[in-house]
Amino acid sequence: MVVECRDVSRTYDDDAVPVHALRGVDFQLAAGEWVSLAGPSGSGKSTLLHVIGGLDQPTTGSVVVDGVEVTALSAAQLSDLRLDKIGFVFQSYNLIPVLSALENVEFILQLQGVDRAERRSRSREALHSLGLSDLENRRPGEMSGGQQQRVAIARAIVTEPVLLLADEPSANLDTSTTRELLEVLQSLNRERGVTILTATHDPMVMGYTTRQVNLRDGNVVGDNA
Amino acid sequence: MNRARRMPVKLLMQLSWRNIWRHRRRNAILLSAIAIAVTGVTLLNMMMRGMQQDMMNTAIENLTGHVKILAPGYRDDPGIERGFEVVEGWQTALPGGVQGWAKRIRVPAVVMSERETRGIQLLGVDPVRESISFLGDATVDGERLAGPGDSRLLVGGLLTEALDTAPGRRLVLVTQGADGRTREAGFRIAGVYRAEIAGLEKAFVFTGLEALQQLLGTDKITEISIRLDHEDLEAPTIAGLTGSVENLDVLSWRELEPQAASMVEISDMAIYILFVIVMGALVFGLVNTLVTAVMERLRELGMLRAIGMRPRVVVAQVVVESSIIMAIGVATGLMLAAAMFAFVADGIDLTAFDDSLASFGMRPTFVPVFDIRDVVLVVVLSLALSVLASFYPARRAVKIKPLDALRR
Ligand SMILES: Nc1ncnc2c1ncn2[C@@H]1O[C@H](COP(=O)(O)OP(=O)(O)OP(=O)(O)O)[C@@H](O)[C@H]1O
Ligand SMILES: [Mg+2]
């Protein structure tokens, strides 16, 4: 199992009324799967994604990613977990505006301390696999939204993470760009065996995934392969 | 995954540099402010160091020297009865770096012309040795003293006017001999000297050392003045002499000219206060700009942390960014200051303010002094301040959780 969540709850109690974003979620994700989290707005999709990605800590319960109990990690260890084991694609604002596409992808390898030559070739290859070879010197401001998301995916997979997390990756994209993006993810999943977890409202996504998990009010209400 | 990670220094430099260019207008303004402030501070420092040097030189050349040997009690009650003899070879106790020394007699005296009478200090000197004092450079109408045996007088210009006399004429000097009895003798004026500090011309009348000893009936002297190559040699010189010339006072110019010494100290303080004020103002500007820059980039910084950039790397990036701006600003400022220094390095003519400057013991022209220690202070302190100043905004950037930063 790449991910094992047991009885995970997350309660926000900064406000007067506590908000139960997750209420005892049990969830497992096997290597090679592409699971889509579905559910209405506020059902807890993003929260679950963040908890699994080590960006948020559950109030109770246990989250094990690639054999590591995430809830026991320090801030710096969580940083390293995110850097080494997880690839993130956010809804928007994914890239560093002052760096070119190639540099954005290289960036994460630089954080890992990979040396220059290896960095270059791996980054070029990642961009190539996403059909971005011609755009490697463009900065984010000089690319379309779909191209930027593909660069973000290239950056997320260049480290060969055990898990790719994408929260509404298509929210800002039109239908045809979304389709291209989903096809890219599908080929990563099928051909490279990348394990993917996405959260989305978009019914189009469901057609591509290997499994769909439905959330409602912080509970898993359906799980169909 | 716990493997120790080195700071990705190159990455930090690259990111910082690009970010600086992204906001080039804002950073150009900040950079100019730093450069102008550094130029101003550096130039002012050089001028103040110049004035300071001038005050010191004046005090030292005013027959003081860096170090002086006197008999105890001479300062309160000067006279030949406080004379002393030094053993042969006393100067072997001097460490290296001595520019020169001069033995003198200095006694109070009254000088009379046909028309006027004035109180003065009468000095018996060896003219060759006086290259260490203002007398060495002074212009002289008429003749200089020929040697220690010369019994003619060298009189200041202002005193000559007051006495209504001229080279070649005679003056009568009255002073006390070694036996306590009054001596009165006529002297011919060899020449009239001009001093840069006009006050000296009224105070000092010179004659040959041996000639004066003869008049006073003594073999003694009342002072030895020692000029050093550099002020820093003062302490070792005093230490070296104190043991070897027993029963005599070995004094620094600071003790002999306390007013000038405290002026020098005050100007030292003024330099540092000025520096702190200017740099303090700059730091406020820097912090302000950095807070703005960090707040604008909060989402980006949140994303960087979300994908695995450690908090201290984020902090380091902000610190590097501000340090680069500061370093470029300081370098530009120093280069500007150096360029401007070249224009004034030969000296600034302040003749127009002559009178008021003289009261501070300064000469009408002064030369700015470049002190490498001041430059090092500017560089080190400004970089240290920029690091300290950028910590606050950088900490703000990492205090907020990456998710909260991303959500903005
Ligand atoms: N930082 C927070 N502070 C307080 N409440 C929060 C916070 N983040 C999320 N919530 C609440 O937790 C619940 C779950 O939110 P979450 O973002 O996980 O939903 P979601 O399924 O991703 O919704 P959407 O489809 O709109 O993205 C919501 O009720 C939300 O208001
Ligand atoms: Mg969401």
Side-chain angles (χ1 to χ4, degrees), chain B residues 46 52 157 194 365:
Chain B
M46 288 173 179
Q52 207 178 28
R194 289 281 168 190
T365 61

Side-chain angles (χ1 to χ4, degrees), chain A residues 40-47 49-50 91 167-168 199-201:
Chain A
S41 186
S43 58
K45 304 182 294 293
S46 296
T47 306
L49 214 65
H50 295 150
Q91 181 176 326
D167 195 358
E168 321 239 12
T200 186
H201 295 283

Side-chain angles (χ1 to χ4, degrees), chain A residues 10 12 50 53 55-56 68 73 75-86 88 90 92-100 103-104 107-108 110-113 116 119 139 155, chain B residues 1-8 10-12 14-22 296-313 401-403 406-407:
Chain A
R10 175 68 169 103
Y12 294 103
H50 295 150
L55 277 171
D56 198 3
V68 176
L73 298 181
Q77 286 170 324
L78 282 172
S79 253
D80 286 353
L81 173 95
R82 298 196 294 265
L83 180 58
D84 293 326
K85 299 206 170 182
I86 294 167
F88 283 98
F90 302 102
S92 64
Y93 214 88
N94 262 305
L95 303 175
I96 304 164
V98 294
L99 299 183
S100 69
E103 287 164 343
N104 261 288
F107 174 86
I108 197 139
Q110 259 168 305
L111 285 183
Q112 285 188 331
R116 193 187 155 83
R119 222 157 63 203
R139 291 200 181 179
R155 183 189 58 195
Chain B
M1 117 189 164
N2 278 324
R3 86 189 110 109
R5 285 220 155 97
R6 273 180 297 133
M7 257 312 159
K10 268 193 187 161
L11 178 68
L12 293 183
Q14 183 189 36
L15 266 183
S16 303
W17 187 246
R18 298 271 178 92
N19 278 321
I20 290 169
W21 275 100
R22 175 157 57 158
E296 278 174 357
R297 283 217 302 274
L298 214 55
R299 285 202 61 171
E300 183 185 327
L301 293 170
M303 183 270 294
L304 294 181
R305 284 170 58 213
I307 64 173
M309 191 159 169
R310 281 189 176 178
R312 58 197 188 101
V313 181
K401 285 190 198 152
L403 267 185
L406 274 175
R407 228 176 247 129

